[in-house]
Amino acid sequence: MKHDISKALFARAQERIPGGVNSPVRAFRGVGGTPVFFREAHGAWLTDVDGNRYLDFVGSWGPMILGHSHPAVLGAVSEALKKATSFGAPHAGEVEMAELLCSIVPSVEKVRLVSSGTEATLAAIRLARGATGRPCILKFEGCYHGHADSFLVKAGSGVETLGLPDSPGVPEALARLTLTEPYNDLPAVERLFEQRGREIACAIIEPVVGNMGLLAPKEGYLKGLEALCRKHGVLLILDEVMTGFRVARGGAQELYGVKPDLTTFGKVIGGGLPVGAYGGRRELMAHIAPEGPVYQAGTLSGNPLAVAAGMACLKALGEPGVYERLERASAAIEQVLREEARAAGIPVTFNRVGSMWTLFFCEGPVYDYRSAKKADTGRFGRFFHAMLEAGVYLPPSQFEAAFVSLAHGDAELEHLRRAARTAFTSLG
Ligand SMILES: *Cc1c(COP(=O)(O)O)cnc(C)c1O
Protein backbone atom coordinates (compact mmCIF):
# COMPACT_ATOMS: atom_id res chain seq x y z
CA MET A 1 0.00 0.00 0.00
CA LYS A 2 1.24 3.47 -0.88
CA HIS A 3 0.72 6.36 1.52
CA ASP A 4 2.59 9.14 -0.31
CA ILE A 5 -0.20 11.70 -0.24
CA SER A 6 -1.02 10.98 3.43
CA LYS A 7 2.64 11.40 4.31
CA ALA A 8 2.90 14.69 2.45
CA LEU A 9 -0.26 16.01 4.11
CA PHE A 10 1.00 14.96 7.52
CA ALA A 11 4.27 16.80 6.95
CA ARG A 12 2.31 19.97 6.10
CA ALA A 13 -0.10 19.41 8.99
CA GLN A 14 2.71 19.21 11.52
CA GLU A 15 3.84 22.69 10.53
CA ARG A 16 0.48 24.28 11.30
CA ILE A 17 -1.49 21.98 13.61
CA PRO A 18 -0.09 20.74 16.95
CA GLY A 19 1.12 17.20 16.29
CA GLY A 20 -0.52 17.43 12.86
CA VAL A 21 -3.96 16.42 14.16
CA ASN A 22 -7.04 18.02 15.67
CA SER A 23 -7.46 15.32 18.33
CA PRO A 24 -4.50 13.44 19.86
CA VAL A 25 -5.52 9.81 19.38
CA ARG A 26 -5.65 10.29 15.60
CA ALA A 27 -1.88 10.76 15.61
CA PHE A 28 -0.78 7.08 15.73
CA ARG A 29 1.45 7.81 18.72
CA GLY A 30 0.26 4.56 20.30
CA VAL A 31 1.22 2.42 17.31
CA GLY A 32 3.98 4.37 15.54
CA GLY A 33 4.03 5.53 11.92
CA THR A 34 2.11 8.32 10.23
CA PRO A 35 -1.67 8.74 10.31
CA VAL A 36 -3.75 8.03 7.25
CA PHE A 37 -5.68 10.95 5.73
CA PHE A 38 -9.13 10.10 4.43
CA ARG A 39 -11.12 11.25 1.45
CA GLU A 40 -14.46 9.40 1.56
CA ALA A 41 -16.46 6.92 3.60
CA HIS A 42 -19.43 4.78 2.57
CA GLY A 43 -21.05 1.98 4.52
CA ALA A 44 -18.34 0.11 6.43
CA TRP A 45 -15.54 1.32 4.16
CA LEU A 46 -13.06 4.19 4.16
CA THR A 47 -11.05 5.48 1.21
CA ASP A 48 -7.84 7.34 1.95
CA VAL A 49 -6.28 10.18 -0.06
CA ASP A 50 -3.96 7.70 -1.82
CA GLY A 51 -6.95 5.65 -2.99
CA ASN A 52 -6.51 2.73 -0.53
CA ARG A 53 -9.64 1.14 0.92
CA TYR A 54 -10.12 -0.05 4.49
CA LEU A 55 -12.79 -1.86 6.41
CA ASP A 56 -13.55 0.60 9.23
CA PHE A 57 -13.75 -0.38 12.91
CA VAL A 58 -13.39 3.15 14.25
CA GLY A 59 -16.66 4.55 12.95
CA SER A 60 -15.57 8.07 13.87
CA TRP A 61 -15.17 6.73 17.44
CA GLY A 62 -18.78 5.64 17.70
CA PRO A 63 -21.21 7.93 15.87
CA MET A 64 -21.34 5.96 12.60
CA ILE A 65 -23.52 3.15 13.92
CA LEU A 66 -25.57 3.09 10.69
CA GLY A 67 -22.43 3.02 8.56
CA HIS A 68 -20.94 5.98 6.70
CA SER A 69 -22.96 8.22 4.37
CA HIS A 70 -26.21 6.54 5.31
CA PRO A 71 -28.95 7.74 2.89
CA ALA A 72 -31.40 8.65 5.69
CA VAL A 73 -28.83 10.89 7.36
CA LEU A 74 -27.61 12.45 4.10
CA GLY A 75 -31.22 13.06 3.04
CA ALA A 76 -32.16 14.72 6.35
CA VAL A 77 -29.12 16.97 6.28
CA SER A 78 -29.66 18.07 2.68
CA GLU A 79 -33.33 18.85 3.42
CA ALA A 80 -32.33 20.88 6.48
CA LEU A 81 -29.61 22.62 4.49
CA LYS A 82 -32.18 24.11 2.12
CA LYS A 83 -33.78 25.99 5.01
CA ALA A 84 -30.99 27.32 7.23
CA THR A 85 -27.62 26.45 8.74
CA SER A 86 -28.19 28.11 12.12
CA PHE A 87 -30.80 30.29 13.85
CA GLY A 88 -29.39 30.97 17.31
CA ALA A 89 -33.08 30.84 18.25
CA PRO A 90 -35.53 28.00 18.91
CA HIS A 91 -36.75 25.66 16.17
CA ALA A 92 -39.05 22.64 16.01
CA GLY A 93 -36.28 20.07 15.51
CA GLU A 94 -34.91 20.71 19.00
CA VAL A 95 -38.27 19.99 20.60
CA GLU A 96 -38.68 16.81 18.59
CA MET A 97 -35.22 15.64 19.54
CA ALA A 98 -35.75 16.36 23.26
CA GLU A 99 -39.07 14.48 23.15
CA LEU A 100 -37.50 11.52 21.38
CA LEU A 101 -34.55 11.30 23.80
CA CYS A 102 -36.87 11.43 26.82
CA SER A 103 -39.17 8.80 25.33
CA ILE A 104 -36.31 6.34 24.74
CA VAL A 105 -34.44 6.90 28.03
CA PRO A 106 -36.96 7.03 30.91
CA SER A 107 -34.49 8.42 33.51
CA VAL A 108 -34.23 11.51 31.31
CA GLU A 109 -37.26 13.74 31.92
CA LYS A 110 -35.70 16.95 30.63
CA VAL A 111 -32.71 17.40 28.39
CA ARG A 112 -30.42 20.17 27.14
CA LEU A 113 -28.67 19.89 23.77
CA VAL A 114 -25.03 20.91 23.40
CA SER A 115 -22.44 20.34 20.65
CA SER A 116 -20.07 17.73 22.08
CA GLY A 117 -19.69 15.05 24.72
CA THR A 118 -17.17 17.22 26.57
CA GLU A 119 -19.72 20.00 26.93
CA ALA A 120 -22.33 17.56 28.17
CA THR A 121 -20.18 16.06 30.95
CA LEU A 122 -18.80 19.44 31.95
CA ALA A 123 -22.33 20.82 32.33
CA ALA A 124 -23.52 17.71 34.16
CA ILE A 125 -20.92 18.02 36.93
CA ARG A 126 -21.54 21.75 37.24
CA LEU A 127 -25.22 20.95 37.67
CA ALA A 128 -24.44 18.24 40.25
CA ARG A 129 -22.28 20.65 42.24
CA GLY A 130 -24.85 23.43 41.91
CA ALA A 131 -27.75 21.23 43.00
CA THR A 132 -25.99 19.56 45.94
CA GLY A 133 -23.72 22.39 47.11
CA ARG A 134 -20.91 19.83 47.42
CA PRO A 135 -17.45 20.50 45.89
CA CYS A 136 -15.98 17.09 45.00
CA ILE A 137 -16.66 14.62 42.20
CA LEU A 138 -15.79 10.95 42.00
CA LYS A 139 -14.53 9.46 38.77
CA PHE A 140 -13.04 6.07 37.98
CA GLU A 141 -9.49 5.24 36.87
CA GLY A 142 -9.14 5.08 33.11
CA CYS A 143 -12.59 6.52 32.39
CA TYR A 144 -12.63 9.41 29.95
CA HIS A 145 -15.30 12.08 30.14
CA GLY A 146 -13.98 14.63 27.67
CA HIS A 147 -11.18 17.12 28.18
CA ALA A 148 -12.64 19.51 30.78
CA ASP A 149 -10.17 20.35 33.59
CA SER A 150 -11.92 18.32 36.29
CA PHE A 151 -11.74 15.12 34.26
CA LEU A 152 -8.06 15.07 33.30
CA VAL A 153 -7.16 12.94 36.27
CA LYS A 154 -6.53 9.26 35.46
CA ALA A 155 -8.35 9.86 32.21
CA GLY A 156 -7.92 6.86 29.90
CA SER A 157 -6.71 6.24 26.38
CA GLY A 158 -5.83 9.58 24.80
CA VAL A 159 -3.95 10.73 27.86
CA GLU A 160 -2.71 7.19 28.54
CA THR A 161 -1.29 6.58 25.10
CA LEU A 162 0.78 9.72 25.38
CA GLY A 163 1.99 8.72 28.82
CA LEU A 164 0.72 11.89 30.45
CA PRO A 165 -0.83 10.87 33.76
CA ASP A 166 -2.24 14.37 34.14
CA SER A 167 -2.29 17.46 31.99
CA PRO A 168 -0.27 20.59 32.74
CA GLY A 169 -2.64 23.53 32.84
CA VAL A 170 -5.07 21.85 35.19
CA PRO A 171 -4.72 23.69 38.53
CA GLU A 172 -3.87 21.41 41.44
CA ALA A 173 -6.59 23.06 43.52
CA LEU A 174 -9.18 21.87 41.00
CA ALA A 175 -7.63 18.42 40.48
CA ARG A 176 -7.82 17.87 44.25
CA LEU A 177 -11.61 18.06 44.00
CA THR A 178 -11.60 15.10 41.61
CA LEU A 179 -11.44 11.87 43.59
CA THR A 180 -10.71 8.60 41.80
CA GLU A 181 -11.29 4.94 42.55
CA PRO A 182 -10.66 1.83 40.43
CA TYR A 183 -13.43 0.70 38.07
CA ASN A 184 -15.31 -2.47 39.10
CA ASP A 185 -14.36 -2.08 42.78
CA LEU A 186 -17.42 -1.38 44.96
CA PRO A 187 -15.73 -1.76 48.38
CA ALA A 188 -13.37 1.09 47.43
CA VAL A 189 -16.36 3.36 46.74
CA GLU A 190 -18.02 2.28 49.97
CA ARG A 191 -14.91 3.21 51.99
CA LEU A 192 -14.62 6.57 50.25
CA PHE A 193 -18.29 7.44 50.77
CA GLU A 194 -18.10 6.49 54.47
CA GLN A 195 -15.24 8.92 54.90
CA ARG A 196 -16.03 11.76 52.51
CA GLY A 197 -19.54 11.14 51.17
CA ARG A 198 -20.84 14.52 52.32
CA GLU A 199 -18.25 16.37 50.22
CA ILE A 200 -19.08 14.49 47.03
CA ALA A 201 -21.61 15.97 44.58
CA CYS A 202 -21.61 13.14 42.09
CA ALA A 203 -20.07 9.94 40.84
CA ILE A 204 -19.56 10.00 37.07
CA ILE A 205 -18.82 6.78 35.23
CA GLU A 206 -18.66 5.16 31.82
CA PRO A 207 -21.10 2.32 32.54
CA VAL A 208 -19.28 0.21 29.96
CA VAL A 209 -15.78 1.62 29.57
CA GLY A 210 -14.57 2.33 26.06
CA ASN A 211 -11.65 4.56 26.87
CA MET A 212 -9.08 2.11 28.26
CA GLY A 213 -10.11 -0.50 25.76
CA LEU A 214 -13.49 -2.09 26.26
CA LEU A 215 -14.22 -3.09 29.85
CA ALA A 216 -17.53 -4.54 30.98
CA PRO A 217 -19.01 -3.91 34.42
CA LYS A 218 -18.93 -6.90 36.75
CA GLU A 219 -22.24 -8.50 37.67
CA GLY A 220 -24.09 -6.16 40.08
CA TYR A 221 -21.42 -3.44 39.95
CA LEU A 222 -23.54 -0.65 38.47
CA LYS A 223 -26.59 -1.43 40.60
CA GLY A 224 -24.34 -1.53 43.66
CA LEU A 225 -22.88 1.85 42.73
CA GLU A 226 -26.39 3.24 42.30
CA ALA A 227 -27.37 2.01 45.79
CA LEU A 228 -24.24 3.50 47.40
CA CYS A 229 -24.90 6.84 45.71
CA ARG A 230 -28.51 6.89 46.97
CA LYS A 231 -27.39 6.07 50.49
CA HIS A 232 -24.93 8.96 50.61
CA GLY A 233 -26.88 11.55 48.63
CA VAL A 234 -24.29 11.43 45.85
CA LEU A 235 -25.78 12.00 42.38
CA LEU A 236 -25.06 9.24 39.87
CA ILE A 237 -24.11 10.45 36.39
CA LEU A 238 -23.89 7.81 33.70
CA ASP A 239 -21.66 9.07 30.93
CA GLU A 240 -23.37 7.41 27.97
CA VAL A 241 -21.60 9.52 25.35
CA MET A 242 -20.22 6.30 23.89
CA THR A 243 -22.76 3.70 25.07
CA GLY A 244 -25.97 5.69 24.48
CA PHE A 245 -28.04 4.20 21.63
CA ARG A 246 -25.05 1.90 21.06
CA VAL A 247 -25.08 -1.02 23.52
CA ALA A 248 -28.90 -0.96 23.49
CA ARG A 249 -31.50 1.51 22.26
CA GLY A 250 -31.88 2.84 25.82
CA GLY A 251 -28.11 2.66 26.41
CA ALA A 252 -26.24 0.89 29.19
CA GLN A 253 -28.88 1.95 31.72
CA GLU A 254 -31.43 -0.14 29.86
CA LEU A 255 -29.01 -3.06 29.46
CA TYR A 256 -28.04 -3.17 33.15
CA GLY A 257 -31.26 -1.86 34.72
CA VAL A 258 -29.69 1.21 36.34
CA LYS A 259 -31.48 4.51 36.99
CA PRO A 260 -29.03 7.42 37.08
CA ASP A 261 -29.86 10.95 38.24
CA LEU A 262 -28.23 12.44 35.17
CA THR A 263 -27.06 11.06 31.83
CA THR A 264 -24.74 12.50 29.21
CA PHE A 265 -24.92 11.73 25.50
CA GLY A 266 -22.90 12.45 22.37
CA LYS A 267 -21.51 10.47 19.44
CA VAL A 268 -24.47 8.39 18.09
CA ILE A 269 -27.06 11.10 18.85
CA GLY A 270 -25.45 13.37 16.25
CA GLY A 271 -25.32 10.75 13.51
CA GLY A 272 -21.84 12.07 12.59
CA LEU A 273 -22.54 15.75 13.20
CA PRO A 274 -21.77 17.57 16.46
CA VAL A 275 -24.52 16.93 19.00
CA GLY A 276 -24.21 16.25 22.71
CA ALA A 277 -26.86 16.29 25.42
CA TYR A 278 -27.32 16.00 29.15
CA GLY A 279 -30.51 15.27 30.95
CA GLY A 280 -32.13 13.65 33.93
CA ARG A 281 -34.68 14.13 36.65
CA ARG A 282 -37.01 17.07 36.12
CA GLU A 283 -36.24 18.78 39.44
CA LEU A 284 -32.51 18.50 38.86
CA MET A 285 -32.69 19.89 35.34
CA ALA A 286 -34.76 22.80 36.77
CA HIS A 287 -31.48 24.16 38.20
CA ILE A 288 -30.26 24.92 34.66
CA ALA A 289 -30.48 28.51 33.35
CA PRO A 290 -32.79 30.14 32.48
CA GLU A 291 -35.11 27.97 34.59
CA GLY A 292 -32.58 28.01 37.44
CA PRO A 293 -29.24 29.58 38.38
CA VAL A 294 -26.70 27.02 37.07
CA TYR A 295 -25.35 28.61 33.90
CA GLN A 296 -24.75 26.76 30.64
CA ALA A 297 -25.13 28.05 27.09
CA GLY A 298 -24.06 27.48 23.47
CA THR A 299 -24.17 29.54 20.27
CA LEU A 300 -24.61 26.49 18.05
CA SER A 301 -26.46 24.26 20.55
CA GLY A 302 -29.34 22.46 18.85
CA ASN A 303 -27.93 23.38 15.44
CA PRO A 304 -30.57 22.50 12.83
CA LEU A 305 -28.25 20.49 10.56
CA ALA A 306 -26.79 18.53 13.46
CA VAL A 307 -30.21 17.87 14.95
CA ALA A 308 -31.54 16.70 11.56
CA ALA A 309 -28.66 14.21 11.25
CA GLY A 310 -29.13 13.02 14.83
CA MET A 311 -32.88 12.58 14.46
CA ALA A 312 -32.46 10.61 11.23
CA CYS A 313 -29.94 8.34 12.94
CA LEU A 314 -32.09 7.77 16.05
CA LYS A 315 -35.16 7.07 13.92
CA ALA A 316 -33.29 4.51 11.81
CA LEU A 317 -32.18 2.84 15.05
CA GLY A 318 -35.83 2.59 16.07
CA GLU A 319 -36.62 0.11 13.31
CA PRO A 320 -37.38 -3.39 14.57
CA GLY A 321 -34.52 -5.85 14.91
CA VAL A 322 -31.74 -3.30 14.47
CA TYR A 323 -29.91 -4.08 17.70
CA GLU A 324 -30.31 -7.82 17.16
CA ARG A 325 -28.69 -7.44 13.74
CA LEU A 326 -25.86 -5.43 15.24
CA GLU A 327 -25.36 -8.08 17.92
CA ARG A 328 -25.21 -10.89 15.34
CA ALA A 329 -22.65 -9.03 13.23
CA SER A 330 -20.56 -8.22 16.31
CA ALA A 331 -20.67 -11.78 17.64
CA ALA A 332 -19.50 -13.07 14.24
CA ILE A 333 -16.61 -10.60 14.26
CA GLU A 334 -15.63 -11.74 17.75
CA GLN A 335 -15.68 -15.36 16.64
CA VAL A 336 -13.49 -14.71 13.59
CA LEU A 337 -10.87 -12.81 15.59
CA ARG A 338 -10.82 -15.40 18.38
CA GLU A 339 -10.44 -18.25 15.87
CA GLU A 340 -7.64 -16.58 13.94
CA ALA A 341 -5.75 -15.65 17.13
CA ARG A 342 -6.04 -19.20 18.43
CA ALA A 343 -4.93 -20.70 15.09
CA ALA A 344 -1.82 -18.50 15.16
CA GLY A 345 -1.17 -19.29 18.84
CA ILE A 346 -1.39 -15.65 19.96
CA PRO A 347 -2.77 -15.18 23.49
CA VAL A 348 -5.51 -12.53 23.51
CA THR A 349 -8.43 -11.39 25.63
CA PHE A 350 -11.48 -10.36 23.66
CA ASN A 351 -13.81 -8.00 25.53
CA ARG A 352 -17.11 -7.09 23.94
CA VAL A 353 -20.42 -5.51 24.91
CA GLY A 354 -22.73 -5.37 21.89
CA SER A 355 -21.05 -3.58 19.03
CA MET A 356 -18.10 -2.26 21.10
CA TRP A 357 -15.00 -4.44 21.51
CA THR A 358 -11.29 -4.58 22.21
CA LEU A 359 -8.77 -7.29 21.47
CA PHE A 360 -6.21 -7.08 24.28
CA PHE A 361 -2.82 -8.69 23.64
CA CYS A 362 -2.56 -10.39 27.02
CA GLU A 363 -4.05 -13.20 29.08
CA GLY A 364 -7.28 -12.14 30.78
CA PRO A 365 -9.37 -11.25 32.48
CA VAL A 366 -9.23 -7.52 31.75
CA TYR A 367 -11.67 -5.61 33.93
CA ASP A 368 -9.93 -2.46 35.20
CA TYR A 369 -7.07 -0.08 34.56
CA ARG A 370 -4.43 -2.31 36.12
CA SER A 371 -5.40 -5.45 34.22
CA ALA A 372 -5.69 -3.49 30.95
CA LYS A 373 -2.13 -2.20 31.39
CA LYS A 374 -0.79 -5.76 31.15
CA ALA A 375 -1.51 -5.75 27.42
CA ASP A 376 1.50 -5.94 25.11
CA THR A 377 1.27 -2.58 23.33
CA GLY A 378 4.26 -3.34 21.08
CA ARG A 379 2.52 -6.43 19.78
CA PHE A 380 -0.72 -4.45 19.35
CA GLY A 381 1.21 -1.89 17.27
CA ARG A 382 2.55 -4.61 14.96
CA PHE A 383 -0.92 -6.12 14.65
CA PHE A 384 -2.44 -2.71 13.93
CA HIS A 385 -0.01 -2.04 11.09
CA ALA A 386 -0.40 -5.54 9.61
CA MET A 387 -4.18 -5.05 9.62
CA LEU A 388 -3.87 -1.59 8.08
CA GLU A 389 -1.70 -3.02 5.31
CA ALA A 390 -4.35 -5.72 4.77
CA GLY A 391 -7.10 -3.09 4.50
CA VAL A 392 -8.59 -2.96 8.00
CA TYR A 393 -8.66 0.29 9.96
CA LEU A 394 -8.59 -0.37 13.72
CA PRO A 395 -8.39 2.23 16.49
CA PRO A 396 -4.71 3.25 16.58
CA SER A 397 -4.34 2.43 20.28
CA GLN A 398 -4.57 -0.72 22.39
CA PHE A 399 -6.64 1.29 24.84
CA GLU A 400 -9.54 2.29 22.57
CA ALA A 401 -12.74 0.42 21.78
CA ALA A 402 -13.49 -0.66 18.22
CA PHE A 403 -16.99 -0.22 16.77
CA VAL A 404 -19.20 -2.31 14.53
CA SER A 405 -21.86 -0.69 12.34
CA LEU A 406 -25.03 -1.95 10.68
CA ALA A 407 -23.12 -1.86 7.40
CA HIS A 408 -20.76 -4.64 8.54
CA GLY A 409 -22.12 -7.67 6.67
CA ASP A 410 -20.92 -11.01 5.29
CA ALA A 411 -18.48 -9.60 2.73
CA GLU A 412 -16.91 -7.48 5.46
CA LEU A 413 -16.59 -10.53 7.71
CA GLU A 414 -14.70 -12.44 5.01
CA HIS A 415 -12.39 -9.48 4.40
CA LEU A 416 -11.73 -9.32 8.14
CA ARG A 417 -10.92 -13.03 8.32
CA ARG A 418 -8.36 -12.84 5.52
CA ALA A 419 -6.71 -9.75 7.02
CA ALA A 420 -6.66 -11.18 10.55
CA ARG A 421 -5.09 -14.46 9.35
CA THR A 422 -2.24 -12.58 7.69
CA ALA A 423 -1.81 -10.19 10.62
CA PHE A 424 -1.82 -12.79 13.42
CA THR A 425 0.53 -15.04 11.45
CA SER A 426 2.97 -12.16 10.98
CA LEU A 427 3.25 -11.80 14.77
CA GLY A 428 4.48 -15.36 15.32
C1 LIG B 1 -16.03 10.63 23.45
C2 LIG B 1 -16.40 10.69 24.88
C3 LIG B 1 -16.56 11.92 25.54
C4 LIG B 1 -16.20 13.24 24.90
O1 LIG B 1 -17.00 13.53 23.81
P1 LIG B 1 -16.47 14.61 22.71
O2 LIG B 1 -17.62 14.74 21.78
O3 LIG B 1 -15.24 14.02 22.12
O4 LIG B 1 -16.19 15.87 23.45
C5 LIG B 1 -17.02 11.91 26.83
N1 LIG B 1 -17.32 10.75 27.45
C6 LIG B 1 -17.18 9.56 26.85
C7 LIG B 1 -17.55 8.31 27.59
C8 LIG B 1 -16.70 9.49 25.55
O5 LIG B 1 -16.51 8.30 24.98
Side-chain angles (χ1 to χ4, degrees), residues 75-200:
V77 173
S78 30
E79 278 311 300
L81 196 50
K82 290 179 195 154
K83 297 179 192 148
T85 53
S86 183
F87 300 113
H91 63 97
E94 299 171 294
V95 188
E96 285 161 21
M97 185 146 193
E99 287 172 350
L100 186 66
L101 291 173
C102 293
S103 75
I104 300 170
V105 185
S107 73
V108 176
E109 295 171 348
K110 266 193 181 175
V111 63
R112 170 63 62 82
L113 298 184
V114 293
S115 301
S116 69
T118 292
E119 275 185 272
T121 53
L122 165 58
I125 59 162
R126 181 180 300 149
L127 168 55
R129 284 171 159 151
T132 59
R134 297 173 175 186
C136 295
I137 66 166
L138 169 62
K139 76 178 282 291
F140 296 86
E141 287 174 18
C143 285
Y144 179 68
H145 303 292
H147 64 85
D149 286 352
S150 294
F151 296 124
L152 291 181
V153 178
K154 301 188 179 171
S157 59
V159 186
E160 196 51 51
T161 304
L162 297 176
L164 308 171
D166 266 325
S167 173
V170 176
E172 234 186 274
L174 187 63
R176 269 201 299 274
L177 299 178
T178 300
L179 312 175
T180 59
E181 293 294 353
Y183 182 75
N184 266 330
D185 184 350
L186 272 187
V189 176
E190 194 161 12
R191 282 193 297 275
L192 176 71
F193 282 5
E194 292 295 342
Q195 285 170 13
R196 304 189 61 180
R198 272 174 303 196
E199 299 166 54
I200 303 172

Side-chain angles (χ1 to χ4, degrees), residues 48-82:
D48 75 12
V49 286
D50 289 278
N52 305 306
R53 280 176 32 98
Y54 310 85
L55 176 57
D56 182 22
F57 286 102
V58 175
S60 190
W61 305 98
M64 311 317 299
I65 191 167
L66 303 178
H68 293 279
S69 307
H70 190 276
V73 175
L74 297 192
V77 173
S78 30
E79 278 311 300
L81 196 50
K82 290 179 195 154

